[in-house]
Amino acid sequence: MASSLQPLATSLSPQERFQEYLQAKGLRQTEQRKFLIDEVFNQHEHFDADELIERLPRRGSPNYVSSATVYRTLREFVDAGLLKSFQLEGRTVYEHDYGYPQHDHLYCTRCQELFEFTSDELIALRDRVAADQGFRVTGHRLIIQGICQKCSQTRRKKRKQDLV
């Protein structure tokens, strides 16, 4: 997935933040949880549970994690404020939340790529609309759907009238 966002400085690593969450909930850190947090935060990309499971070692291999543990741990990562989840075309997509700025997305419906962007103008508009309604903003999510530049160019080249 395309990304132009840079991580923000944080006082704790995602691993340390998750450890604090587990302690607060009275849960213990397991090897599977440690492996999953490293795997998820090793790269910045959007993913669903099935994509993550596909990247993980298979049953019988070192660091194997069951599908049930993956789904449960992803919910814990969201509860801990490490990941955000949202629905996209019938699937739950996860993205890094901890250590990344508020941002929005462009979604290409052809290649299914998510492009992240930030916009001061959009934030100003959001805040102005909220203020006009006496509304206190705690966050927002915007996903603009369309066709990306690469997919638009690919289609144009294949049209018969363009080849004549």
Side-chain angles (χ1 to χ4, degrees):
M1 302 286 170
S3 175
S4 59
L5 297 181
Q6 296 300 313
L8 303 171
T10 56
S11 60
L12 299 175
S13 70
Q15 293 80 354
E16 293 166 330
R17 171 92 181 246
F18 189 56
Q19 182 63 41
E20 280 188 350
Y21 166 83
L22 292 173
Q23 288 173 348
K25 294 287 187 179
L27 301 170
R28 63 184 180 88
Q29 179 66 284
T30 64
E31 289 304 313
Q32 290 90 353
R33 284 177 173 142
K34 286 179 189 176
F35 181 74
L36 285 174
I37 200 160
D38 289 341
E39 186 66 30
V40 165
F41 280 88
N42 190 30
Q43 50 196 8
H44 180 78
E45 66 180 18
H46 300 88
F47 63 93
D48 64 26
D50 291 336
E51 290 168 337
L52 177 59
I53 290 166
E54 197 61 33
R55 292 193 329 231
L56 298 175
R58 301 284 171 238
R59 184 184 305 270
S61 301
N63 293 320
Y64 167 73
V65 181
S66 73
S67 296
T69 298
V70 169
Y71 282 98
R72 185 174 46 255
T73 305
L74 286 173
R75 282 193 305 274
E76 291 172 342
F77 290 169
V78 171
D79 290 345
L82 297 173
L83 297 178
K84 282 186 180 179
S85 65
F86 56 95
Q87 296 297 308
L88 188 62
E89 294 193 356
R91 64 191 183 109
T92 302
V93 176
Y94 297 91
E95 69 174 344
H96 295 175
D97 185 21
Y98 182 67
Y100 282 86
Q102 166 70 49
H103 63 277
D104 296 292
H105 299 91
L106 299 169
Y107 176 67
C108 179
T109 55
R110 187 165 296 150
C111 68
Q112 300 181 341
E113 182 115 10
L114 272 170
F115 302 88
E116 296 177 331
F117 71 94
T118 59
S119 169
D120 292 336
E121 295 88 358
L122 181 61
I123 299 297
L125 175 62
R126 176 200 72 183
D127 292 345
R128 192 169 57 251
V129 168
D132 289 348
Q133 299 297 316
F135 194 81
R136 185 175 62 87
V137 176
T138 58
H140 78 269
R141 169 157 321 280
L142 175 66
I143 301 173
I144 301 170
Q145 298 181 349
I147 307 296
C148 72
Q149 184 176 15
K150 183 178 174 184
C151 288
S152 293
Q153 290 173 346
T154 301
R155 180 180 166 115
R156 270 192 239 130
K157 289 178 184 175
K158 293 181 179 176
R159 290 177 18 184
K160 271 188 172 179
Q161 60 267 38
D162 291 341
L163 298 175
V164 176

